[in-house]
């Protein structure tokens, strides 16, 4: 059974524009055309709907930043040709497209030790080694030493490429990639807590 993008978005409880970002990023297999409409396999939508949430409680930090990106778009900048995410970009281009330039509290990003990158609420890439940053004249930050620990090539299965040089970083990326991670922010960077917190009981109880 095939769904239109509108039906798929409704099944996932998101806006059509949000779902179309996944299509433009090239991480949904099995798409077909029916006239001008893009059709999506029901099984793919169900797999995304039932996807587990990111296991953040295993992370060392109590709070981590989340980089929320769009599908890749070409830019004319000295250090990169793309901004955003596409499964078709080579790892080097993808890293340059994701490691800056963002408005953020760079120290807070670095403190989390890992930067999940999400597209439409799914973790599609993971950056590590964020301990060095630069700031440009517009007040935006980049992380020139960042490592692309891994990224998704097929979000439905999911299928991933683990590209970090160490086993620990590859394992971390493998845990997070393809999972669902909701975050809320007015900008590209959001911050999420990694542990469920409970209010302290009233004194005397």
């Amino acid at each position: 059974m095939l769904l239109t993008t509108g039906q798929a978005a409704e099944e996932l409880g998101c806006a059509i524009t949000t779902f179309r970002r996944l299509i433009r990023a090239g991480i949904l297999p099995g798409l077909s055309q029916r006239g001008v409409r893009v059709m999506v396999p029901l099984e793919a939508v169900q797999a995304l709907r039932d996807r587990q949430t990111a296991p953040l409680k295993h992370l060392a930090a109590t709070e981590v930043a989340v980089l929320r990106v769009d599908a890749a778009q070409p830019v004319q900048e000295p250090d990169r040709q793309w901004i955003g995410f596409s499964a078709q970009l080579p790892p080097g281009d993808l890293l340059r497209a994701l490691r800056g330039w963002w408005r953020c509290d760079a120290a807070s990003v670095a403190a989390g030790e890992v930067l999940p990158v999400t597209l439409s609420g799914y973790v599609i890439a993971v950056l590590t080694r964020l301990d060095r940053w630069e700031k440009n004249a517009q007040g935006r930050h980049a992380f020139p030493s960042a490592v692309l620990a891994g990224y998704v090539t097929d979000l439905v299965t999911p299928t991933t490429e683990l590209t970090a040089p160490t086993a620990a970083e590859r394992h971390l990326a493998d845990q997070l990639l393809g999972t669902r991670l909701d975050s809320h922010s007015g900008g590209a960077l959001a911050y999420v807590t990694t542990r469920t917190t409970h209010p302290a009981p009233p004194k005397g109880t």
Side-chain angles (χ1 to χ4, degrees):
M1 182 176 177
L2 298 175
L3 303 181
T4 65
T5 53
Q7 291 170 328
E10 184 177 358
E11 185 74 14
L12 294 174
C14 67
I16 295 178
T17 52
T18 300
F19 184 75
R20 285 176 176 163
R21 292 189 188 109
L22 300 175
I23 295 174
R24 297 202 318 271
I27 50 179
L28 298 184
L31 302 179
S32 58
Q33 293 281 144
R34 184 179 293 172
V36 296
R37 289 183 171 182
V38 175
M39 307 301 294
V40 188
L42 174 61
E43 296 81 5
V45 177
Q46 290 173 330
L48 296 181
R49 183 196 62 196
D50 299 336
R51 188 59 46 82
Q52 69 174 7
T53 57
L56 300 182
K57 65 181 181 180
H58 300 298
L59 301 179
T62 56
E63 180 183 75
V64 294
V66 177
L67 175 60
R68 300 137 46 88
V69 298
D70 202 340
Q73 302 175 40
V75 293
Q76 294 182 339
E77 297 181 6
D79 59 342
R80 60 180 176 180
Q81 296 177 300
W82 299 90
I83 182 172
F85 179 87
S86 171
Q88 280 69 54
L89 288 178
D93 287 344
L94 185 56
L95 173 59
R96 286 186 286 273
L98 298 176
R99 69 185 181 188
W101 296 86
W102 314 108
R103 292 194 183 278
C104 64
D105 180 340
S108 295
V109 174
E113 299 182 355
V114 61
L115 181 61
V117 182
T118 64
L119 178 68
S120 300
Y122 296 92
V123 180
I124 43 79
V126 174
L127 301 183
T128 56
R129 306 193 190 186
L130 307 160
D131 52 330
R132 189 168 72 87
W133 58 86
E134 299 174 351
K135 185 178 181 180
N136 67 12
Q138 290 73 45
R140 299 175 182 269
H141 291 87
F143 298 84
S145 299
V147 166
L148 180 64
Y151 62 98
V152 168
T153 58
D154 170 351
L155 184 59
V156 174
T157 309
T159 304
T160 61
E161 292 287 338
L162 302 178
T163 49
T166 70
E169 288 169 302
R170 292 192 296 272
H171 177 67
L172 175 59
D174 192 43
Q175 286 185 309
L176 296 174
L177 288 170
T179 61
R180 194 157 199 160
L181 179 53
D182 294 325
S183 60
H184 305 280
S185 172
L189 270 291
Y191 297 88
V192 297
T193 56
T194 61
R195 293 156 182 74
T196 304
T197 55
H198 300 283
K203 290 183 179 180
T205 61

